[in-house]
Amino acid sequence: AMQKAVVKNMEWANSVPTYIVSRAITTDELDALYQQVKPKGVTMSALLAKAVGLTLAKHPLVNAAYAPDGIKYNADVNVAMAVAMPDGGLITPVLKNADKNDLYSIGRSWKDLVSRAMEKKLSPDEYTTGTFTISNLGMFGVSSFVSILPPNTGAILAVAASTPTAVLQKNGMMGMVKQMTVTITCDHRHIYGADAAAFLKDLADLIENDTNALLL
């Protein structure tokens, strides 16, 4: 049944005009924050959900879905995150109000959702109500990838591994930082390239320069 649902979703995505935009994001600040909150039970998934939630709150169009009679704006920012099931297949538990809930409660919710997802005990409301999806394959070391748009949403973000990268620093010298490539797949019927680029710019700015906002 799960495999049938996955195939149906892919067929839906085939009928939608989508495009992708990628951006490299330096993760040194995020990695440092992760080391700080990891002992308190916060995973990198929870950190990414919070960062994306805060950014979506500033970009309602990216959090919206296309509808035949116009654009369906969502009142809530509900971030779904793809989780691979042990017996194959995929499920997308939803962190509701990821922009408003604090990082530690997001961390607790995520732990609970994943453990119940593995036991197949999630109610449909807990995996079908996402307004935006994150697919994180960073733990597998992939350099970049593209995700297929889930039904009734406007965008999905593919997060690749963070790897040491040589960059030109502000002082004009070369230096090493850790960077990850994120790739957003968008529904072109209502989200234009400039909208996607602006969303990624704000997400990068938050992760690179304002990680304290994730703790508020």
Side-chain angles (χ1 to χ4, degrees):
M2 184 177 275
Q3 197 54 38
K4 275 183 186 162
V6 170
V7 170
K8 196 174 166 200
N9 289 354
M10 287 176 182
E11 286 168 352
W12 177 88
N14 254 348
S15 67
V16 175
T18 59
Y19 66 95
I20 65 165
V21 181
S22 295
R23 183 181 176 118
I25 299 180
T26 299
T27 61
D28 294 16
E29 294 289 322
L30 187 68
D31 294 335
L33 178 62
Y34 175 53
Q35 291 309 321
Q36 190 186 320
V37 297
K38 188 180 175 184
K40 295 170 187 164
V42 176
T43 60
M44 184 54 83
S45 294
L47 276 171
L48 288 170
K50 179 67 177 173
V52 164
L54 286 173
T55 310
L56 284 169
K58 293 162 77 172
H59 295 267
L61 193 63
V62 181
N63 191 51
Y66 178 81
D69 54 352
I71 299 169
K72 177 184 172 273
Y73 284 95
N74 293 298
D76 297 328
V77 173
N78 297 336
V79 176
M81 297 194 76
V83 173
M85 298 294 282
D87 54 356
L90 199 66
I91 195 161
T92 51
V94 178
L95 287 160
K96 295 184 180 178
N97 300 307
D99 57 330
K100 296 192 177 104
N101 288 331
D102 72 88
L103 184 61
Y104 297 107
S105 56
I106 288 173
R108 286 190 297 273
S109 297
W110 184 242
K111 196 176 173 185
D112 169 57
L113 286 165
V114 171
S115 71
R116 287 191 294 115
M118 293 302 160
E119 295 165 4
K120 299 186 175 161
K121 289 182 177 169
L122 291 182
S123 66
D125 180 63
E126 293 175 308
Y127 61 85
T128 61
T129 52
T131 57
F132 182 96
T133 308
I134 298 172
S135 179
N136 179 13
L137 292 180
M139 65 294 277
F140 295 106
V142 299
S143 50
S144 72
F145 70 105
V146 176
S147 287
I148 291 172
L149 187 68
N152 308 315
T153 60
I156 180 170
L157 188 72
V159 180
S162 184
T163 52
T165 312
V167 297
L168 187 64
Q169 295 176 310
K170 284 174 186 161
N171 62 9
M173 309 283 280
M174 292 302 288
M176 296 298 284
V177 297
K178 284 186 79 181
Q179 286 191 332
M180 64 181 181
T181 297
V182 298
T183 302
I184 192 168
T185 302
C186 298
D187 185 339
H188 210 318
R189 293 174 299 180
H190 72 289
I191 302 170
Y192 290 93
D195 304 314
F199 170 81
L200 292 184
K201 181 176 182 291
D202 283 350
L203 179 65
D205 191 47
L206 175 64
I207 290 173
E208 292 175 351
N209 307 311
D210 192 20
T211 48
N212 278 342
L214 301 177
L215 293 170
L216 299 176

